[in-house]
Amino acid sequence: MPDTHVERNTITYSAAVSACETGGQWQQALQLLRGMLDARVETHTITYNAVVSFCAKGQEWQLAALLLQEMAFVAVESDTITYGAALNSCQKGGQWLLASQLLHEMMRRRVDRDTIVYNASVSACEKAGEWQQALQLLLDMSDTHVGRDTVTYNAAVSACEKGGAWVPSLHLLR
């Protein structure tokens, strides 16, 4: 019978994490990440990105934020994809304040901010009815030359509607 021992390294762990994505097993992916750390196997941004993305799918915004902090602690670089996944989990959880903090952290760390990460933040504001913050994000997008799209404007208008701010929503339509 052939030896079925598989060397535990970054590649095998990352493949197993990806397999968890296919099976929708975010808790198992998190356990694999913990196993990598316990076994002192080198972790990479890609592996963390996958687990943070799973957190968004499982609406685990607290865990996504903790993983971002952990990445800094274990000296793994976070990127636009990492933050985008964390912001997506904030959006799903209506965590507009955390989304705002993460955007500021991106700016401080000089991580590129794109339409996708801003849209997740505006959508988090929309979910919470935080129309003023949503409009501020639109201004920030303009100031930083980040493109706005239909998703951006729909979320901002919806935030205004939920906050009872119909006049600012009319200005968005002009």
Side-chain angles (χ1 to χ4, degrees):
M1 192 162 176
D3 183 11
T4 58
H5 177 73
V6 176
E7 181 183 353
R8 293 179 181 195
N9 59 31
T10 303
I11 295 169
T12 55
Y13 271 107
S14 294
V17 166
S18 292
C20 290
E21 178 179 18
T22 304
Q25 300 294 317
W26 69 267
Q27 295 98 337
Q28 185 64 39
L30 183 61
Q31 287 179 346
L32 286 167
L33 181 62
R34 295 286 168 252
M36 288 179 80
L37 295 170
D38 291 344
R40 296 191 185 338
V41 173
E42 184 179 3
T43 54
H44 288 284
T45 303
I46 295 169
T47 308
Y48 270 95
N49 285 353
V51 179
V52 173
S53 292
F54 298 155
C55 291
K57 291 176 185 174
Q59 296 187 10
E60 296 289 332
W61 59 268
Q62 299 102 328
L63 186 54
L66 286 173
L67 286 169
L68 268 174
Q69 289 176 350
E70 180 178 295
M71 288 176 76
F73 181 74
V74 297
V76 173
E77 190 81 23
S78 51
D79 61 13
T80 304
I81 295 169
T82 318
Y83 280 98
L87 286 164
N88 189 30
S89 72
C90 290
Q91 179 263 321
K92 289 181 179 181
Q95 299 300 312
W96 70 273
L97 188 56
L98 179 58
S100 176
Q101 291 168 347
L102 290 176
L103 271 178
H104 287 290
E105 185 176 311
M106 288 179 78
M107 182 177 63
R108 186 176 49 77
R109 291 187 175 186
R110 291 188 167 90
V111 176
D112 288 335
R113 291 164 290 158
D114 61 14
T115 304
I116 295 168
V117 297
Y118 271 104
N119 283 352
S121 297
V122 174
S123 294
C125 293
E126 177 256 329
K127 223 174 190 176
E130 290 291 331
W131 64 273
Q132 292 160 321
Q133 181 64 24
L135 296 180
Q136 182 59 53
L137 288 170
L138 262 65
L139 290 174
D140 291 351
M141 290 175 80
S142 181
D143 291 345
T144 57
H145 307 289
V146 173
R148 296 175 277 189
D149 61 14
T150 305
V151 173
T152 315
Y153 285 106
N154 283 346
V157 168
S158 183
C160 290
E161 178 217 344
K162 288 181 179 177
W166 61 274
V167 173
S169 69
L170 292 177
H171 290 289
L172 290 173
L173 298 175
R174 290 185 184 162

